PDB file of all heavy atoms in Angstrom:
ATOM      1  N   VAL P 348       1.235  10.482  37.573  1.00  0.00           N
ATOM      2  CA  VAL P 348       0.403  11.621  36.905  1.00  0.00           C
ATOM      3  C   VAL P 348       0.133  12.528  38.061  1.00  0.00           C
ATOM      4  O   VAL P 348      -0.859  12.413  38.875  1.00  0.00           O
ATOM      5  CB  VAL P 348      -0.812  11.059  36.356  1.00  0.00           C
ATOM      6  CG1 VAL P 348      -1.604  12.225  35.660  1.00  0.00           C
ATOM      7  CG2 VAL P 348      -0.604   9.937  35.325  1.00  0.00           C
ATOM      8  N   PRO P 349       0.913  13.566  38.348  1.00  0.00           N
ATOM      9  CA  PRO P 349       0.637  14.597  39.302  1.00  0.00           C
ATOM     10  C   PRO P 349      -0.522  15.536  38.736  1.00  0.00           C
ATOM     11  O   PRO P 349      -0.655  15.553  37.527  1.00  0.00           O
ATOM     12  CB  PRO P 349       1.947  15.439  39.384  1.00  0.00           C
ATOM     13  CG  PRO P 349       2.564  15.262  38.079  1.00  0.00           C
ATOM     14  CD  PRO P 349       2.295  13.896  37.616  1.00  0.00           C
ATOM     15  N   TRP P 350      -1.299  16.145  39.601  1.00  0.00           N
ATOM     16  CA  TRP P 350      -2.313  17.036  39.061  1.00  0.00           C
ATOM     17  C   TRP P 350      -2.489  18.219  40.114  1.00  0.00           C
ATOM     18  O   TRP P 350      -2.033  18.018  41.324  1.00  0.00           O
ATOM     19  CB  TRP P 350      -3.606  16.341  38.947  1.00  0.00           C
ATOM     20  CG  TRP P 350      -4.081  15.481  40.015  1.00  0.00           C
ATOM     21  CD1 TRP P 350      -4.008  14.160  40.240  1.00  0.00           C
ATOM     22  CD2 TRP P 350      -4.735  15.984  41.248  1.00  0.00           C
ATOM     23  NE1 TRP P 350      -4.557  13.677  41.452  1.00  0.00           N
ATOM     24  CE2 TRP P 350      -5.055  14.899  42.053  1.00  0.00           C
ATOM     25  CE3 TRP P 350      -5.081  17.221  41.699  1.00  0.00           C
ATOM     26  CZ2 TRP P 350      -5.622  14.929  43.368  1.00  0.00           C
ATOM     27  CZ3 TRP P 350      -5.753  17.429  42.997  1.00  0.00           C
ATOM     28  CH2 TRP P 350      -5.978  16.267  43.800  1.00  0.00           C
ATOM     29  N   THR P 351      -3.088  19.280  39.578  1.00  0.00           N
ATOM     30  CA  THR P 351      -3.271  20.443  40.467  1.00  0.00           C
ATOM     31  C   THR P 351      -4.575  21.044  40.244  1.00  0.00           C
ATOM     32  O   THR P 351      -5.072  21.082  39.058  1.00  0.00           O
ATOM     33  CB  THR P 351      -2.181  21.536  40.150  1.00  0.00           C
ATOM     34  OG1 THR P 351      -0.890  20.997  40.457  1.00  0.00           O
ATOM     35  CG2 THR P 351      -2.434  22.792  40.988  1.00  0.00           C
ATOM     36  N   VAL P 352      -5.269  21.409  41.295  1.00  0.00           N
ATOM     37  CA  VAL P 352      -6.564  22.278  41.151  1.00  0.00           C
ATOM     38  C   VAL P 352      -6.115  23.793  41.446  1.00  0.00           C
ATOM     39  O   VAL P 352      -5.567  23.989  42.542  1.00  0.00           O
ATOM     40  CB  VAL P 352      -7.583  21.822  42.236  1.00  0.00           C
ATOM     41  CG1 VAL P 352      -8.831  22.658  42.074  1.00  0.00           C
ATOM     42  CG2 VAL P 352      -7.942  20.378  41.970  1.00  0.00           C
ATOM     43  N   PHE P 353      -6.207  24.549  40.433  1.00  0.00           N
ATOM     44  CA  PHE P 353      -5.646  25.914  40.453  1.00  0.00           C
ATOM     45  C   PHE P 353      -6.555  26.975  41.230  1.00  0.00           C
ATOM     46  O   PHE P 353      -6.629  28.070  40.759  1.00  0.00           O
ATOM     47  CB  PHE P 353      -5.302  26.374  39.177  1.00  0.00           C
ATOM     48  CG  PHE P 353      -4.127  25.586  38.528  1.00  0.00           C
ATOM     49  CD1 PHE P 353      -4.339  24.405  37.770  1.00  0.00           C
ATOM     50  CD2 PHE P 353      -2.868  26.071  38.691  1.00  0.00           C
ATOM     51  CE1 PHE P 353      -3.295  23.789  37.275  1.00  0.00           C
ATOM     52  CE2 PHE P 353      -1.818  25.308  38.197  1.00  0.00           C
ATOM     53  CZ  PHE P 353      -2.016  24.171  37.478  1.00  0.00           C
ATOM     54  N   THR P 354      -7.069  26.544  42.319  1.00  0.00           N
ATOM     55  CA  THR P 354      -7.769  27.454  43.239  1.00  0.00           C
ATOM     56  C   THR P 354      -6.739  28.160  44.134  1.00  0.00           C
ATOM     57  O   THR P 354      -5.499  27.943  44.020  1.00  0.00           O
ATOM     58  CB  THR P 354      -8.880  26.629  44.080  1.00  0.00           C
ATOM     59  OG1 THR P 354      -8.176  25.575  44.639  1.00  0.00           O
ATOM     60  CG2 THR P 354     -10.058  26.251  43.202  1.00  0.00           C
ATOM     61  N   GLU P 355      -7.268  28.945  45.026  1.00  0.00           N
ATOM     62  CA  GLU P 355      -6.420  29.501  46.025  1.00  0.00           C
ATOM     63  C   GLU P 355      -7.027  29.173  47.411  1.00  0.00           C
ATOM     64  O   GLU P 355      -8.125  29.662  47.683  1.00  0.00           O
ATOM     65  CB  GLU P 355      -6.233  31.006  45.842  1.00  0.00           C
ATOM     66  CG  GLU P 355      -5.205  31.595  46.714  1.00  0.00           C
ATOM     67  CD  GLU P 355      -4.946  33.097  46.366  1.00  0.00           C
ATOM     68  OE1 GLU P 355      -5.761  33.700  45.808  1.00  0.00           O
ATOM     69  OE2 GLU P 355      -3.835  33.599  46.831  1.00  0.00           O
ATOM     70  N   PRO P 356      -6.408  28.381  48.163  1.00  0.00           N
ATOM     71  CA  PRO P 356      -4.985  27.640  47.956  1.00  0.00           C
ATOM     72  C   PRO P 356      -5.185  26.658  46.854  1.00  0.00           C
ATOM     73  O   PRO P 356      -6.180  25.983  46.641  1.00  0.00           O
ATOM     74  CB  PRO P 356      -4.801  26.981  49.280  1.00  0.00           C
ATOM     75  CG  PRO P 356      -6.124  26.700  49.874  1.00  0.00           C
ATOM     76  CD  PRO P 356      -7.072  27.766  49.439  1.00  0.00           C
ATOM     77  N   GLN P 357      -4.055  26.458  46.181  1.00  0.00           N
ATOM     78  CA  GLN P 357      -3.876  25.417  45.138  1.00  0.00           C
ATOM     79  C   GLN P 357      -3.856  24.095  45.929  1.00  0.00           C
ATOM     80  O   GLN P 357      -3.330  23.962  47.024  1.00  0.00           O
ATOM     81  CB  GLN P 357      -2.518  25.596  44.371  1.00  0.00           C
ATOM     82  CG  GLN P 357      -2.490  26.652  43.288  1.00  0.00           C
ATOM     83  CD  GLN P 357      -1.284  26.644  42.499  1.00  0.00           C
ATOM     84  OE1 GLN P 357      -0.394  25.743  42.661  1.00  0.00           O
ATOM     85  NE2 GLN P 357      -1.085  27.603  41.585  1.00  0.00           N
ATOM     86  N   ILE P 358      -4.317  23.052  45.190  1.00  0.00           N
ATOM     87  CA  ILE P 358      -4.317  21.715  45.740  1.00  0.00           C
ATOM     88  C   ILE P 358      -3.657  20.779  44.682  1.00  0.00           C
ATOM     89  O   ILE P 358      -4.114  20.705  43.543  1.00  0.00           O
ATOM     90  CB  ILE P 358      -5.676  21.182  46.080  1.00  0.00           C
ATOM     91  CG1 ILE P 358      -6.359  22.077  47.178  1.00  0.00           C
ATOM     92  CG2 ILE P 358      -5.625  19.750  46.586  1.00  0.00           C
ATOM     93  CD1 ILE P 358      -7.795  21.742  47.383  1.00  0.00           C
ATOM     94  N   SER P 359      -2.596  20.156  45.050  1.00  0.00           N
ATOM     95  CA  SER P 359      -1.793  19.341  44.184  1.00  0.00           C
ATOM     96  C   SER P 359      -1.551  18.018  44.809  1.00  0.00           C
ATOM     97  O   SER P 359      -1.521  17.882  46.125  1.00  0.00           O
ATOM     98  CB  SER P 359      -0.521  19.885  43.846  1.00  0.00           C
ATOM     99  OG  SER P 359      -0.672  21.194  43.228  1.00  0.00           O
ATOM    100  N   HIS P 360      -1.539  16.935  43.917  1.00  0.00           N
ATOM    101  CA  HIS P 360      -1.328  15.575  44.536  1.00  0.00           C
ATOM    102  C   HIS P 360      -0.564  14.694  43.519  1.00  0.00           C
ATOM    103  O   HIS P 360      -0.752  14.960  42.270  1.00  0.00           O
ATOM    104  CB  HIS P 360      -2.662  14.944  44.851  1.00  0.00           C
ATOM    105  CG  HIS P 360      -2.570  13.594  45.367  1.00  0.00           C
ATOM    106  ND1 HIS P 360      -2.297  13.364  46.775  1.00  0.00           N
ATOM    107  CD2 HIS P 360      -2.731  12.274  44.772  1.00  0.00           C
ATOM    108  CE1 HIS P 360      -2.250  11.958  46.915  1.00  0.00           C
ATOM    109  NE2 HIS P 360      -2.415  11.436  45.866  1.00  0.00           N
ATOM    110  N   VAL P 361       0.136  13.787  44.003  1.00  0.00           N
ATOM    111  CA  VAL P 361       0.675  12.689  43.118  1.00  0.00           C
ATOM    112  C   VAL P 361       0.729  11.389  43.880  1.00  0.00           C
ATOM    113  O   VAL P 361       1.015  11.366  45.205  1.00  0.00           O
ATOM    114  CB  VAL P 361       2.040  13.062  42.597  1.00  0.00           C
ATOM    115  CG1 VAL P 361       3.135  13.237  43.746  1.00  0.00           C
ATOM    116  CG2 VAL P 361       2.662  12.076  41.588  1.00  0.00           C
ATOM    117  N   GLY P 362       0.429  10.419  43.233  1.00  0.00           N
ATOM    118  CA  GLY P 362       0.377   9.070  43.920  1.00  0.00           C
ATOM    119  C   GLY P 362      -0.925   8.565  44.385  1.00  0.00           C
ATOM    120  O   GLY P 362      -1.969   9.322  44.171  1.00  0.00           O
ATOM    121  N   PRO P 363      -1.053   7.380  44.952  1.00  0.00           N
ATOM    122  CA  PRO P 363      -2.339   6.881  45.343  1.00  0.00           C
ATOM    123  C   PRO P 363      -2.787   7.643  46.582  1.00  0.00           C
ATOM    124  O   PRO P 363      -2.104   8.354  47.300  1.00  0.00           O
ATOM    125  CB  PRO P 363      -1.999   5.476  45.825  1.00  0.00           C
ATOM    126  CG  PRO P 363      -0.570   5.507  46.131  1.00  0.00           C
ATOM    127  CD  PRO P 363       0.013   6.468  45.157  1.00  0.00           C
ATOM    128  N   SER P 364      -4.089   7.416  46.952  1.00  0.00           N
ATOM    129  CA  SER P 364      -4.679   8.062  48.131  1.00  0.00           C
ATOM    130  C   SER P 364      -4.467   7.186  49.285  1.00  0.00           C
ATOM    131  O   SER P 364      -4.084   5.995  49.191  1.00  0.00           O
ATOM    132  CB  SER P 364      -6.170   8.306  47.867  1.00  0.00           C
ATOM    133  OG  SER P 364      -6.979   6.984  47.824  1.00  0.00           O
ATOM    134  N   GLU P 365      -4.723   7.780  50.545  1.00  0.00           N
ATOM    135  CA  GLU P 365      -4.614   6.936  51.645  1.00  0.00           C
ATOM    136  C   GLU P 365      -5.696   5.739  51.636  1.00  0.00           C
ATOM    137  O   GLU P 365      -5.362   4.677  52.043  1.00  0.00           O
ATOM    138  CB  GLU P 365      -5.032   7.779  52.934  1.00  0.00           C
ATOM    139  CG  GLU P 365      -3.840   8.826  53.250  1.00  0.00           C
ATOM    140  CD  GLU P 365      -3.956   9.340  54.657  1.00  0.00           C
ATOM    141  OE1 GLU P 365      -3.880   8.576  55.607  1.00  0.00           O
ATOM    142  OE2 GLU P 365      -4.196  10.591  54.793  1.00  0.00           O
ATOM    143  N   GLU P 366      -6.799   6.006  51.090  1.00  0.00           N
ATOM    144  CA  GLU P 366      -7.771   4.943  50.992  1.00  0.00           C
ATOM    145  C   GLU P 366      -7.238   3.732  50.102  1.00  0.00           C
ATOM    146  O   GLU P 366      -7.486   2.597  50.324  1.00  0.00           O
ATOM    147  CB  GLU P 366      -9.156   5.428  50.387  1.00  0.00           C
ATOM    148  CG  GLU P 366      -9.922   6.298  51.321  1.00  0.00           C
ATOM    149  CD  GLU P 366      -9.285   7.660  51.486  1.00  0.00           C
ATOM    150  OE1 GLU P 366      -8.357   8.110  50.640  1.00  0.00           O
ATOM    151  OE2 GLU P 366      -9.706   8.536  52.386  1.00  0.00           O
TER     152      GLU P 366
END
Side-chain angles (χ1 to χ4, degrees):
V348 184
W350 52 259
T351 299
V352 181
F353 289 89
T354 48
E355 194 172 16
Q357 283 186 7
I358 299 175
S359 301
H360 181 83
V361 63
S364 66
E365 289 195 62
E366 290 75 13

